[in-house]
Amino acid sequence: MAARVQFASGEYVPLEMHKVRVVQKLNLLPVEERLKAVEGAGYNTFLLQNRDVFLDMLTDSGTNAMSDQQIASMMVADDAYAGSASYARLYEAIVEIFGTEYFLPAHQGRAAEHIISQVFIPRSGVVPMNFHFTTTKAHIELAGGQIAELFTDEALKIKSDFPFKGNLDIAKLKALIAKVGKQNVPYVRMEAGTNLIGGQPFSIANMRDVRKVCDDHGLLIVLDVSLIAENVYFIKTREEEFKDADVKTIIRAMCDLADIIYFSARKVCCARGGGIATRSKELYLKMRDLVPLFEGFLTYGGMSVREIEAMAVGLRETLDMDMISQSPQFIKYLVDQLDAGGVPVVTPAGGLGCHLDAMGFLPHVPQLQYPAGALGTALFIISGIRGMERGTISMDRDADGNDVPSEVELLRLAMPRRVFTLSQVKYVEDRVKWLYANRELVGGLEFYDEPKVLRFFVGRLRPTGDWPQKLIAKFRQDFPNGV
Ligand code: F0G
C-alpha cells in the first residue's frame, strides 16, 4: 500500500498512484451566480445543474474515474440480447471475487434491493440491519416489511475513535428475534461501509457473531457489498487478524458469511450497474424469474454490455490495494485537517466521504429547519462544492405526516474514487473552514414542494429569511476579487 508518503517536513500526505490522462473542464462561477443557481434548484443540491458546480461531491455513485483498462474493455463489448460474451466475463469475475456460483444482473443497486425485498418479504416482517440505506428502506417498506436498525452505541457518536462503527449490536439482534419471532425475520441485512453513518466499516469478528446468531435461528444474511472495497481497506488496516491478509482473502471472508450478496456497481466497480450473487441454487431460483420481468434478460439485466465489461474489470481492480486505498486516504486527509481546525466532522474518517456534523456546525438552526440541507446549500453558495444532505430531509414523513428527525444531521462530501487532486481537497478544507468561522450567518430551510417518497431527490425548499444574501455580503467582504 503506497498511497501515503511522509514528506521531508514530517507531514503524511496521500499520493495518487495513478496519472490523469483524460480531463474534464470545470467551471467556478462567481458567488452571485451560484446563489441564482441554488435558488433555481429549490435549495436542493440534487436539482443543481452540473455545469454550475465546481467540485461535485454529491456522491461517489457512477462518478468514479474509470481506469484505462476499463475504457479499453468497453471497446470489445459483445452486443447480444442473450448469451453475450461480456456477461460471461462479468460472471467469471463475480465467481472469482465473491466465490458465488450464481449471479443475477440488475441495472443498479436498488433494482437488486427491489428483487430481494419482493421475493423474501412476505408482505410483513422486520429486517434487522446495521443501518439502513434510503433505497433499501424504501424497498423493504414497499414490500410490506419494516426495518430495525441495530447499531452499536458508538455508531452515532460524531467524535469517536471506534474502528468499527458499522458493527451490528449482537445483544440487540438476539433481543429482536426473541421479541418478534424468527418466523417474522425474513433476513438480516449487513451493509459494508455503512453509508448513512459516514461510510463506516464493520469487522469480520462482528459478522461472524451475526452469522452465529443467524445459524442458531435458521436466518439468512443479505450482505450489501456496494462499499466493500473501503470496508476491506479498514479491516486490513484496523482488524489485527487480517493485517497481513490480501484483499481477496478479506473479501472472501466477508462474502462466505453471507447467503445473498448484492451491490451497486456504480460504487464498487467504478462503472454503472448492479447485481445479486449467491452460492445457493435454491435462493437463486427464487429470485431468477423477477430479473427478466423487471430488469432485462438474464445476461444483461438492464445494463449496456459496455458497462458490463467495465464492471468486470472494475471488480478485479478492487483487489489492488493501491486502488482501494486512494479514496479512504484522501478522506482521512480532509477529515484530519478539518478536525484539527475544530470543525465538527465525523471521526474516525470513513470510506465514502467527509461527513460534516450539521447539528454541531449550525447549533442555532432547529432540526426541523434541516441544518444539513442548509449547510449543503450554504457551502455550495460560498464555494461551488456540491454535497449531499443526509439528515431529516432524507427521511420521509411518518404516516401522520410528521417530520421524522434523523438521528444524525450530516452533510456528506463524497470523494469519488480517483477524481480529485490534493489541491482541490485543500480548497474544500479552506472553504469549509471559512464557512465554519461564519456559521452564525447560516439559517434554515423549509419545504414548499414536497414529494411523499424519497423527497430528498426532487423536493424544493426555500430559506427561512434572507440569510443567503447576508452570507454572500460577508464572502464579498473577505474575498473582494475572488469567486
Ligand atoms: N446500497 C448502498 C450501500 C448504497 O450506497 C446505494 C447507493 C445503494 C445500495 C443503491 O444503489 O444507487 O445503484 O441504486 N448509494 C448512492 C449514494 C445513491 O449516493 O450513496 P444504486
Side-chain angles (χ1 to χ4, degrees):
M1 191 197 336
R4 191 167 138 83
V5 291
Q6 188 178 16
F7 278 16
S9 62
E11 190 190 2
Y12 278 92
V13 176
L15 187 67
E16 295 83 348
M17 296 303 290
H18 52 259
K19 65 180 178 182
V20 178
R21 293 170 64 203
V22 177
V23 295
Q24 179 181 2
K25 191 173 156 30
L26 291 172
N27 293 321
L28 185 50
L29 298 179
V31 67
E32 294 78 7
E33 286 184 37
R34 290 197 295 259
L35 176 61
K36 276 192 214 141
V38 87
E39 275 170 358
Y43 283 79
N44 181 347
T45 54
F46 273 99
L47 298 181
L48 286 164
Q49 297 300 312
N50 206 25
R51 64 168 181 267
D52 297 331
V53 172
F54 177 50
L55 299 181
D56 189 8
M57 304 184 85
L58 184 76
T59 179
D60 60 336
S61 171
T63 56
N64 300 301
M66 294 173 92
S67 70
D68 51 357
Q69 300 301 316
Q70 284 185 287
I71 304 278
S73 74
M74 293 171 98
M75 299 297 128
V76 296
D78 178 27
D79 258 313
Y81 191 92
S84 156
S86 300
Y87 176 79
R89 284 189 275 271
L90 174 61
Y91 174 76
E92 266 172 42
I94 298 277
V95 174
E96 180 194 328
I97 290 153
F98 296 140
T100 47
E101 192 181 335
Y102 300 96
F103 180 62
L104 292 166
H107 78 274
Q108 62 184 87
R110 71 199 68 183
E113 289 170 338
H114 173 229
I115 290 170
I116 294 167
S117 313
Q118 290 298 323
V119 170
F120 293 100
I121 300 176
R123 307 310 312 163
S124 67
V126 183
V127 180
M129 57 183 71
N130 50 350
F131 211 81
H132 82 281
F133 183 69
T134 51
T135 56
T136 326
K137 178 170 182 278
H139 275 297
I140 289 170
E141 289 175 354
L142 188 71
Q146 291 168 42
I147 62 157
E149 291 173 310
L150 309 180
F151 45 84
T152 66
D153 293 345
E154 288 292 328
L156 302 184
K157 285 186 190 157
I158 300 294
K159 253 186 154 352
S160 164
D161 52 12
F162 190 66
F164 294 109
K165 286 165 105 178
N167 279 356
L168 187 143
D169 189 310
I170 301 298
K172 287 185 193 161
L173 177 61
K174 288 180 183 164
L176 182 97
I177 297 169
K179 185 169 154 224
V180 304
K182 65 181 178 189
Q183 69 283 5
N184 293 315
V185 178
Y187 55 86
V188 176
R189 174 178 176 273
M190 289 295 279
E191 183 180 310
T194 326
N195 186 331
L196 293 190
I197 56 165
Q200 299 288 334
F202 61 72
S203 67
I204 296 213
N206 180 251
M207 188 152 172
R208 284 182 185 139
D209 291 343
V210 175
R211 179 77 266 173
K212 169 128 199 3
V213 176
C214 289
D215 285 346
D216 290 347
H217 296 90
L219 296 176
L220 296 175
I221 297 184
V222 173
L223 174 63
D224 179 342
V225 296
S226 307
L227 290 166
I228 197 170
E230 291 70 28
N231 204 122
V232 165
Y233 169 83
F234 291 122
I235 286 173
K236 185 164 171 69
T237 52
R238 297 178 186 173
E239 193 164 359
E240 179 63 25
E241 181 186 337
F242 292 94
K243 70 178 194 311
D244 299 321
D246 61 18
V247 175
K248 192 167 170 181
T249 307
I250 302 175
I251 292 183
R252 278 294 181 88
M254 294 169 83
C255 292
D256 286 354
L257 290 165
D259 300 287
I260 294 174
I261 292 160
Y262 77 90
F263 60 94
S264 168
R266 302 174 64 82
K267 290 174 182 276
V268 69
C269 301
C270 296
R272 292 135 206 102
I276 307 171
T278 177
R279 289 182 305 281
S280 158
K281 187 170 185 183
E282 190 193 334
L283 296 176
Y284 163 80
L285 288 176
K286 279 190 177 166
M287 294 182 280
R288 187 187 61 184
D289 293 350
L290 292 193
V291 174
L293 197 56
F294 289 109
E295 299 302 307
F297 188 65
L298 291 174
T299 56
Y300 75 91
M303 294 179 278
S304 108
V305 281
R306 276 166 280 283
E307 294 291 343
I308 288 176
E309 291 281 1
M311 276 167 72
V313 175
L315 204 55
R316 288 215 166 84
E317 287 179 356
T318 61
L319 300 178
D320 175 355
M321 200 60 190
D322 279 346
M323 155 62 196
I324 69 172
S325 304
Q326 187 270 332
S327 147
Q329 293 190 352
F330 268 55
I331 294 165
K332 181 172 161 48
Y333 179 86
L334 180 57
V335 166
D336 288 353
Q337 300 298 321
L338 292 175
D339 192 33
V343 177
V345 63
V346 172
T347 60
L352 198 168
C354 166
H355 291 67
L356 302 178
D357 165 30
M359 287 203 271
F361 207 112
L362 303 175
H364 54 282
V365 175
Q367 202 177 358
L368 296 189
Q369 289 183 17
Y370 314 127
L375 183 58
T377 49
L379 182 62
F380 174 75
I381 292 168
I382 64 107
S383 68
I385 297 162
R386 158 154 79 167
M388 187 191 288
E389 192 267 5
R390 297 277 73 157
T392 300
I393 296 178
S394 295
M395 307 284 292
D396 289 329
R397 288 181 189 263
D398 65 17
D400 302 324
N402 298 315
D403 252 321
V404 179
S406 173
E407 278 130 338
V408 282
E409 290 286 333
L410 304 178
L411 177 67
R412 175 177 93 178
L413 302 176
M415 197 75 77
R417 296 157 190 84
R418 304 181 289 205
V419 169
F420 297 129
T421 63
L422 197 59
S423 56
Q424 290 171 330
V425 172
K426 282 174 182 274
Y427 174 81
V428 179
E429 176 198 339
D430 182 76
R431 290 307 194 251
V432 170
K433 283 182 173 168
W434 183 88
L435 190 59
Y436 189 60
N438 292 283
R439 59 192 176 277
E440 77 287 350
L441 293 175
V442 180
L445 297 176
E446 61 191 13
F447 270 104
Y448 68 87
D449 180 3
E450 187 182 342
K452 284 205 168 60
V453 180
L454 298 178
R455 63 180 180 172
F456 63 89
F457 278 132
V458 292
R460 288 179 174 268
L461 303 99
R462 61 180 153 238
T464 55
D466 63 350
W467 62 260
Q469 287 72 19
K470 290 184 178 137
L471 189 65
I472 286 193
K474 179 67 173 27
F475 184 87
R476 274 278 160 251
Q477 201 181 317
D478 288 1
F479 304 100
N481 306 313
V483 284

